[in-house]
Amino acid sequence: MVGASRETAALIAGWRFAQGEHPGAVAPSFDDSGWSRVTLPHTFNAAETGDGSYYRGPAWYRRAFEIAGLRTGRRLFVQFDGAALVADVYLNGKPVCRHEGGHAAFRCDLTGGLALGRNLLAVRVDNSSNPTVSPLGGDFTVFGGLYRPVSLIETDEVHFDLLDHGGPGFYARAHDITADAAAVSAVAKLANDGSRARGVPVVARILDAEGREVARTSVSVRLPGRSIRDVALDMRLPSPRRWDGVRDPYLYQIVVRIGDSGDEVSVPLGVRTVRIDPRQGFLLNGKPYPLRGVNLMHSARPGKGTGVTDAEVGEDFAIIRDMGSTAVRLTHFQHPQAAYQEADRLGLALSTEIGINGVVAEGPAFLANATQQMRELIAQNYNHPSVVIWGLGNEVYSTEPVVEHVLRALQQVAKAADPDRPTTYAHCCQQDDHPKALISDVIGFNRYFGWYPDQKGTIGEWAEGFHTRHPDRAFAVSEYGAGASILHQEDPPRTVVPASGWHPEQYQALYHERNWLELKDKPYLWGTFIWVGFDLASAGRNEGDRRGINDKGLVTYDRKVRKDAWYWYRAWWSDQPTLYITSRRFTERSDRDATVKIYTSAPAATLFLNGVEIGTRPAVDRIVRWPVTLRRGANAIEVRATAKGEALSDRVTWQYEPPPDMLHATSPTEAAGAAAQGNPLQP
């Protein structure tokens, strides 16, 4: 790693790993030959047990690297993109840094402890519950390990501050935006790790999406030895093209360099304005832009946990965008940079939050960790135009004065670090105007009417009531959803007991049909976010078809199946034509009387049963239904439609076999009617 400017080398392969405590593991001479060989990203508790028994404790990682020579005036840092939950980092047997918090990137300066030749990194990680490290609660598995990449960064001794809360050391914002020009104000945090003062020029350039320079500025600064200084750079961007969400996610880049060949960083720049109005909802560039989408817990996969690749993160965002989403709520902690980059590129607006979830602790240590996590979240994601809201936390039930104290402190930190973006808090299960729901700039409510029986009424009635009582308080539905197993099929479904082992896919679909129809025409809602985009690991759950999974996702945990409800939203939200037969996995049937129901963006559709045209019907609220009588054996069901000039079709096969005691059973039609009477969501 020799070069005049910044050089980066990934430390992905070649790690040794062992679970548990291993005294002496920091020493370069320690024998780790019996440890496992792993490649990052890696987590040590990817299993979904469902009984809360998964491993939470310490583990060790070790990796050697070679230094042929570090020239005078050069520095070497190690960057961890994520280490859960607490990480102690050692170089050649000596501690170099400690990081508390499992979801933000952090860096350690290795320079003073380097040796020529072989160097040994040893990292102790621990995902035990720690009373001073957030999150302390939450309905999700707490994965541990080096579950995101690690890299070495070599720079000149004068460099952008790599220890500024894991951020890039350069922060830019566009403001005073007109069709003719936009002002771009930036702050470069420059560090001089040398002992003598240095005078250096700093040059910043704005490049358009094709890589052409469209603006430039420079300034000369003098940095005392062993110092960090903020340097302001101002530019004028002519004829700016706006980052306009999914309508036009146009991105500039700002490239800033110290000297002619010194340290250099590049950050995205999106020219846009954001405002939330209690009557008009979310406004992007002065125009209504309803934030509709899903909550994304993380991109974990079966057998891999959170140790996923950037490509898998990209797959999640592609699925979310294909559904027609305009926004994503990133819960309940900071997500990998790939998530924010994908949102920038696709035009998905983001609400992103720190891990204040369920429980907060008293005392200065927990508060210090919470405020550290807020500063890290903002520093590492300030430049992403997709980030439009900072989240202070989610559903905290601890002692109220403590909760309010923590939330007020986080509000102050967020507004000091970024006065432009609004803050929010996801509130649940207490009165809507509880004091802790009044601290953030705007508020989100987690509401599950029609799923959890203790929540009475409907989501539409509740939203209208809150807006009437609090017309000047901007609010969103930050969570709503219902569970579904693709292995459980019942049409029409009976009312579901959430904690039970029976979560038919049809009930989730009916839940979302009703809830979306009640939410869609309420422009004052600044956002509506489904819980959740993908089934997720939650070790304490034992419901649905298996242990350890929260099955409220619109897509299965392995990403292989998009559930019926996913297509319901696609029919409403996407610009792409949609035609989809629901209950397609209900293939083995014992009732000859059935209903073919489709979701479609087409104005009408035609049904064919076993090759015979049954008829054409108009879509009502994106739904078409036909009652049919199945024949014994296989039944070929096909629907056809035309949307936006495109011919669409979809096909399924249902197998009907009457039960042996058919002659003595209640008729299928009567049975279906009885089941419907027991389901409050049944239309």
Side-chain angles (χ1 to χ4, degrees), residues 90-286:
Y90 302 85
L91 176 66
N92 298 326
K94 302 292 180 62
V96 289
C97 72
R98 174 182 172 91
H99 185 261
E100 297 183 342
H103 305 99
F106 66 96
R107 304 185 184 104
C108 317
D109 189 344
L110 303 180
T111 310
L114 290 170
L116 289 179
R118 184 178 185 270
N119 289 264
L120 193 285
L121 269 177
V123 186
R124 181 188 183 273
V125 295
D126 192 342
N127 71 329
S128 302
S129 180
N130 186 317
T132 65
V133 179
S134 182
L136 297 182
D139 183 10
F140 50 86
T141 299
V142 181
F143 294 100
L146 297 182
Y147 69 101
R148 294 180 188 158
V150 176
S151 56
L152 295 176
I153 303 172
E154 182 186 332
T155 71
D156 187 68
E157 65 183 3
V158 176
H159 55 85
F160 296 98
D161 187 10
L162 287 161
L163 301 181
D164 180 41
H165 304 293
F170 182 79
Y171 309 95
R173 57 184 286 266
H175 57 97
D176 296 327
I177 304 166
T178 68
D180 296 326
V184 178
S185 299
V187 173
K189 292 185 175 293
L190 303 185
N192 180 4
D193 289 332
S195 59
R196 63 182 179 87
R198 293 273 300 274
V200 294
V202 181
V203 179
R205 301 180 299 134
I206 300 178
L207 308 180
D208 67 13
E210 288 72 44
R212 298 173 298 208
E213 182 178 305
V214 291
R216 170 190 286 256
T217 191
S218 63
V219 62
S220 294
V221 298
R222 185 168 180 80
L223 300 173
R226 313 292 186 206
S227 70
I228 298 173
R229 178 179 172 185
D230 288 358
V231 177
L233 298 105
D234 296 310
M235 288 173 278
R236 180 182 183 276
L237 175 62
S239 303
R241 182 170 168 181
R242 300 199 184 210
W243 188 90
D244 202 29
V246 298
R247 298 181 294 218
D248 184 13
Y250 191 85
L251 283 173
Y252 295 90
Q253 292 287 322
I254 303 183
V255 179
V256 58
R257 181 185 284 264
I258 301 172
D260 295 331
S261 58
D263 195 21
E264 179 180 283
V265 297
S266 176
V267 300
L269 173 69
V271 179
R272 90 290 187 269
T273 63
V274 166
R275 185 166 70 90
I276 298 178
D277 182 87
R279 293 166 183 82
Q280 296 178 279
F282 187 85
L283 302 171
L284 179 63
N285 297 318

Side-chain angles (χ1 to χ4, degrees), residues 134 353-357 360 366-375 378 390-394 396 402-418 423-425 439-440:
S134 182
E353 64 197 40
I354 62 169
I356 297 296
N357 193 292
V360 299
F366 180 86
L367 182 60
N369 181 259
T371 55
Q372 167 201 310
Q373 290 192 31
M374 181 59 73
R375 291 188 176 97
I378 295 175
W390 302 118
L392 307 182
N394 177 81
V396 183
V402 178
V403 176
E404 293 171 35
H405 175 64
V406 170
L407 292 178
R408 291 187 191 282
L410 293 173
Q411 172 75 357
Q412 293 176 357
V413 169
K415 300 311 288 186
D418 183 4
T423 61
T424 190
Y425 169 73
I439 294 169
S440 54

Side-chain angles (χ1 to χ4, degrees), residues 482-491 493 496 502-513 551 553-554 556 561-567 580-586 597 599:
S485 165
I486 61 171
L487 303 181
H488 297 169
Q489 301 294 321
E490 183 180 36
D491 192 11
V496 171
W502 184 246
H503 286 182
E505 187 177 4
Q506 289 79 3
Y507 190 90
Q508 183 193 55
L510 288 174
Y511 170 96
H512 282 291
E513 288 174 22
D551 65 2
L554 300 182
T556 55
V561 178
R562 304 177 189 195
K563 302 177 188 178
D564 284 358
W566 186 94
Y567 288 91
Y580 175 82
I581 301 172
T582 67
S583 291
R584 65 199 306 112
R585 282 166 283 279
F586 192 8
K597 182 175 78 173
Y599 298 144

Side-chain angles (χ1 to χ4, degrees), residues 32-69:
D32 60 14
S33 60
W35 289 16
S36 301
R37 295 180 181 271
V38 299
T39 298
L40 305 186
H42 175 263
T43 182
F44 51 74
N45 54 349
E48 297 80 46
T49 63
D51 59 4
S53 66
Y54 71 98
Y55 181 74
R56 295 193 67 177
W60 284 84
Y61 295 83
R62 286 167 48 98
R63 193 192 191 281
F65 63 94
E66 296 288 328
I67 292 291

Side-chain angles (χ1 to χ4, degrees), residues 491 586 588-596 609-610 626-633 635 637 654-659 662-663 666-672:
D491 192 11
F586 192 8
E588 303 297 322
R589 294 176 175 251
S590 58
D591 291 338
R592 65 182 301 185
D593 292 342
T595 298
V596 176
L609 176 61
N610 298 318
W626 297 266
V628 297
T629 300
L630 303 178
R631 70 187 183 191
R632 187 167 185 172
N635 289 263
I637 297 165
W654 291 345
Q655 190 82 16
Y656 165 62
E657 292 294 338
M662 182 66 186
L663 293 177
T666 302
S667 74
T669 302
E670 292 171 342

